[in-house]
Amino acid sequence: MKSILKFFAAGEDRPQLTDAAEIDRQFHYHRRNIIVFMTVCYGLGYVCRLALNVVKKPMMDAGLFTPEEIGLIGSMLLYGYALGKFSNGFLADYSNVKRFFAAGLFMSAMLNFGMSLSSVLWLSAMLWALNGWFQGFGAPACVVALANWFSHRERGRYYGIWSTAHSIGEGLTYLGIAILIALPPKGLGLPWQYGFWIPAAICVFAAWLAYRFLQDRPQTLGLPSVAEWHHDTVSPTRPTTHSPSQIWRDQLKVLAIPAIWVIALASSSMYVTRYAINSWGNVYLQEIRGFDLFDANLFIFLNTAAGILGCVAYGYMSDKWFAARRPPANLIFGLIELVPLFIIFYGPANSYVLAAALVLYGFGLSGLLASLGGLFAIDIAPKKVAGAAMGFIGIFSYIGAGLQDYISGMLIYKTEMKVVFQMGEQSATVFFYDYTVPVLFWVSASVLSIILATSLWKVKARD
Amino acid sequence: MTDRTSTLNRLALAALCSLVMAACTPDSEDDYCNHHYLYHADHQDQVGNFTANLDAGGQLLVTVELPGQPLASQLLENPGNVYQVSSETACSSAEVAIESIENGTRASYQSDCGSDNRVEQINVGLFDSLDSLEEVEVVITTPAAQKHFAISRQCDAAIFRLQDHRKAP
């Protein structure tokens, strides 16, 4: 156990190099590697997180799991991820991030491989929960690497570059894995198991890249801190006059702020819709709207791609048009999300209308996500416990997302109608579902989220 | 690069290669079932057709067409030989209509399952009743969805995405 902990622990500082040119050369080399491979690896890691979403329908068609069981398995990843977000943040602070991140990717790959072999509910649920936990290694490791290798003044733009990995990863999954499974001519027509095998292979490759190209702290290579190297004007560290118990007491005070609870509920409701579309949207489009697997995933990809613009536009609009007041922007982006949602589910059966609605929906949802999952919470919470507020809202959100996955699956399963073609000893079964109630659940969650967010119209930001 | 790093690099690459090899191993599933959707159109007119339409009011209309089976009418007169419905409350007895079509037989069955009744399962027994039946093309419509596929005696799963030249009804 000790040797495992030692393997993952951050390295010791080495005597500092004295050759300024060599220090410059190493910083340039490692920083380029870190931002490129951190973004690439985080994006590639997404395919192991979302693989189940793409192969859900083929697995249901094969009679392997009912929608309720698939929903339960899917929810386990979100619970595991929520737990991972909480625990792995602490672990990453003490770890050599290249090993930590690589281990997370490698274990996620193994768990995807395991999923392809399991047809047992409890085993699949356990594998997928563990996958969620190991997926939670990625973000903290990348944030620590950013903090170690990029100075305060430049961190924003490098954070922005790394953030594109979310959309790259979602795009890779919804299109890349769909190409493997979808029937020719759009796809390769491979069995659904390839939807886990190829992501596993990709994540092993990503783990190798992370291990090869990311780096521990600069000081472990004999380099100065990035702030020293960058001649950054570092504001003197605020003296920590508070004891850990005092900090804990301050963090608990977050729970006494009613607006934080309202944001947590609003964010949780929004995550219901967000993950409903990401988890069940492509199944709905195949089951009810009759699209093939490739087209259904292409539609879902459109909403995730539009999300990049939504995040940027929300920040710009709320800062410039409303003097950093979030509630008016929340309402606008909420409506941009909600109206297309009605069009997606109750609008005309036209592919172009559906595509446009999904783009708008993704744009609006991402804006709201940026606000409720971050900006608005930071505005309202006292700055010294902003992290605790974010953590509280994050866990609430993922619990909402996880509950959604199970509830949606259960609601879908309740409507199941089977048509069984008996052929002597063997039989072929085709399943039919009605999404009327689940869709109502998803849209209602969105309406509730917007009402809750707008109810904080008069809440003022704290300095 | 240290020895330990290069060993770990090699191990990671070996794991990657074994995963890729596992992923690329040919599947043992029957090629016929995997690729039939591409060629179904070639014999579409010779296979049987099974359509079922369940509307929001609970009316169930089932139609069976069996080309090349001119003597099947006696068997088709009994709906139990064709399908059986499992639902929360029993559906009404089916009204049966049989007619001859070109070198074959068409049968239709209409029953009322009630608007508040949930149809849980339809067992189609055509293949067990007709030993010579090899394949049927199926269209099933419910108030929520429509699915179009083929069922072949050679395959243990429905064949979707049929690339046919006819439009599904």
Side-chain angles (χ1 to χ4, degrees):
Chain A
M1 187 65 191
K2 257 188 180 175
S3 59
I4 293 175
L5 287 176
K6 196 177 168 194
F7 178 77
F8 285 110
E12 301 286 331
D13 290 4
R14 276 195 198 165
Q16 197 167 315
L17 299 172
T18 49
D19 182 351
E22 176 60 13
I23 290 173
D24 273 357
R25 195 193 66 77
Q26 287 215 27
F27 257 113
H28 286 301
Y29 174 74
H30 290 307
R31 278 158 53 95
R32 187 199 61 205
N33 277 352
I34 284 165
I35 191 62
V36 168
F37 288 101
M38 194 172 74
T39 307
V40 168
C41 293
Y42 196 75
L44 291 177
Y46 250 84
V47 296
C48 279
R49 188 188 304 185
L50 302 177
L52 177 69
N53 292 352
V54 182
V55 298
K56 245 177 201 179
K57 170 88 165 70
M59 286 174 89
M60 279 160 55
D61 285 344
L64 212 61
F65 296 114
T66 67
E68 186 175 12
E69 289 168 342
I70 287 268
L72 177 70
I73 295 166
S75 70
M76 295 308 281
L77 178 123
L78 295 162
Y79 299 141
Y81 189 71
L83 187 69
K85 270 199 128 178
F86 184 73
S87 62
N88 298 331
F90 291 101
L91 293 176
D93 283 338
Y94 301 99
S95 69
N96 176 343
V97 290
K98 71 181 219 169
R99 291 177 182 171
F100 191 69
F101 189 19
L105 287 166
F106 185 79
M107 288 309 296
S108 185
M110 295 302 105
L111 291 160
N112 268 260
F113 192 70
M115 277 294 280
S116 72
L117 306 174
S118 168
S119 57
V120 180
L121 175 64
W122 67 264
L123 181 60
S124 295
M126 196 184 73
L127 290 172
W128 218 229
L130 279 172
N131 187 34
W133 195 68
F134 282 110
Q135 279 282 329
F137 276 36
C142 292
V143 168
V144 170
L146 273 169
N148 285 338
W149 287 92
F150 298 93
S151 75
H152 175 68
R153 279 186 300 175
E154 56 186 1
R155 211 170 290 150
R157 62 179 182 273
Y158 283 103
Y159 188 91
I161 293 170
W162 172 69
S163 295
T164 60
H166 299 278
S167 297
I168 293 169
E170 287 185 347
L172 252 177
T173 313
Y174 286 118
L175 281 186
I177 307 301
I179 286 171
L180 298 174
I181 309 301
L183 296 176
K186 292 174 184 169
L188 299 176
L190 298 172
W192 63 265
Q193 286 89 343
Y194 282 73
F196 289 115
W197 289 343
I198 302 293
I202 289 171
C203 284
V204 170
F205 179 60
W208 178 76
L209 287 179
Y211 191 82
R212 170 73 182 78
F213 292 106
L214 299 190
Q215 283 300 337
D216 201 349
R217 295 172 306 119
Q219 292 88 333
T220 62
L221 301 174
L223 300 170
S225 74
V226 69
E228 284 174 57
W229 174 72
H230 210 251
H231 307 297
D232 221 0
T233 320
V234 184
S235 54
T237 310
R238 197 170 42 192
T240 44
T241 52
H242 298 307
S243 64
S245 62
Q246 177 63 45
I247 294 169
W248 175 241
R249 277 198 294 276
D250 285 344
Q251 286 177 329
L252 282 181
K253 283 180 188 165
V254 164
L255 303 181
I257 303 170
I260 292 291
W261 282 90
V262 176
I263 292 179
L265 279 171
S267 179
S268 187
S269 306
M270 186 192 60
Y271 267 62
V272 167
T273 316
R274 180 191 178 201
Y275 275 88
I277 299 291
N278 282 357
S279 299
W280 293 100
N282 70 62
V283 185
Y284 163 83
L285 290 174
Q286 291 172 78
E287 284 283 344
I288 305 299
R289 305 290 281 268
F291 290 106
D292 61 33
L293 188 140
F294 181 84
D295 286 350
N297 282 284
L298 180 64
F299 281 119
I300 301 303
F301 164 75
L302 288 177
N303 110 76
T304 61
I308 305 173
L309 281 177
C311 286
V312 178
Y314 179 91
Y316 182 84
M317 188 191 277
S318 64
D319 279 353
K320 298 281 179 191
W321 293 7
F322 301 108
R325 278 198 72 225
R326 313 301 172 200
N330 287 348
L331 181 61
I332 291 170
F333 275 76
L335 292 175
I336 293 174
E337 180 230 346
L338 188 60
V339 173
L341 208 53
F342 276 96
I343 295 171
I344 291 165
F345 293 119
Y346 306 112
N350 177 297
S351 298
Y352 295 106
V353 172
L354 181 66
L358 274 160
V359 166
L360 271 178
Y361 158 80
F363 180 88
L365 180 100
S366 293
L368 215 51
L369 184 74
S371 172
L372 298 178
L375 276 177
F376 199 18
I378 292 171
D379 286 349
I380 290 172
K383 294 297 163 279
K384 63 182 174 184
V385 290
M390 292 282 289
F392 174 66
I393 291 167
I395 288 176
F396 230 81
S397 303
Y398 276 97
I399 288 173
L403 284 174
Q404 168 284 132
D405 227 345
Y406 176 66
I407 292 169
S408 297
M410 188 184 66
L411 292 174
I412 294 164
Y413 181 52
K414 273 191 171 178
T415 67
E416 182 179 271
M417 183 185 97
K418 284 193 271 194
V419 179
V420 183
F421 292 83
Q422 292 291 346
M423 293 173 281
E425 297 263 308
Q426 72 174 34
S427 63
T429 305
V430 176
F431 300 90
F432 289 81
Y433 302 101
D434 186 340
Y435 279 66
T436 308
V437 178
V439 163
L440 200 61
F441 168 48
W442 304 339
V443 175
S444 304
S446 210
V447 172
L448 178 66
S449 171
I450 295 164
I451 290 172
L452 287 169
T454 310
S455 73
L456 299 174
W457 194 269
K458 290 184 178 170
V459 169
K460 290 204 166 48
R462 290 171 196 244
D463 286 326
Chain B
M1 198 184 293
T2 64
D3 280 352
R4 193 163 70 162
T5 308
S6 62
T7 307
L8 282 164
N9 284 346
R10 272 188 231 118
L11 276 173
L13 277 173
L16 173 68
C17 290
S18 47
L19 270 172
V20 171
M21 280 168 66
C24 294
T25 307
D27 199 77
S28 60
E29 269 189 55
D30 189 357
D31 263 4
Y32 177 85
C33 301
N34 287 338
H35 298 110
H36 183 65
Y37 71 98
L38 291 169
Y39 313 112
H40 175 75
D42 296 344
H43 75 162
Q44 196 172 20
D45 293 332
Q46 284 112 54
V47 303
N49 285 282
F50 180 95
T51 63
N53 190 339
L54 177 66
D55 68 20
Q59 295 293 319
L60 176 65
L61 176 65
V62 173
T63 309
V64 177
E65 284 181 11
L66 298 173
Q69 306 259 7
L71 303 175
S73 57
Q74 199 176 356
L75 185 132
L76 294 177
E77 276 172 9
N78 179 3
N81 289 331
V82 179
Y83 71 97
Q84 286 178 325
V85 179
S86 305
S87 52
E88 284 172 351
T89 53
C91 303
S92 69
S93 302
E95 290 173 23
V96 185
I98 309 277
E99 58 181 311
S100 291
I101 54 171
E102 191 183 340
N103 196 29
T105 312
R106 175 188 288 141
S108 57
Y109 310 87
Q110 184 152 22
S111 53
D112 184 2
C113 293
S115 55
D116 294 332
N117 192 11
R118 191 166 88 78
V119 173
E120 291 159 348
Q121 187 162 326
I122 299 175
N123 282 313
V124 181
L126 264 180
F127 286 94
D128 283 349
S129 304
L130 279 163
D131 289 339
S132 58
L133 186 65
E134 281 300 315
E135 185 173 325
V136 285
E137 186 172 330
V138 184
V139 177
I140 294 177
T141 309
T142 71
Q146 183 183 71
K147 290 189 179 182
H148 177 207
F149 52 91
I151 299 287
S152 166
R153 204 182 274 279
Q154 296 181 53
C155 309
D156 58 5
I159 301 161
F160 285 94
R161 314 310 312 171
L162 302 176
Q163 296 181 4
D164 62 348
H165 307 304
R166 298 186 314 204
K167 285 274 177 200

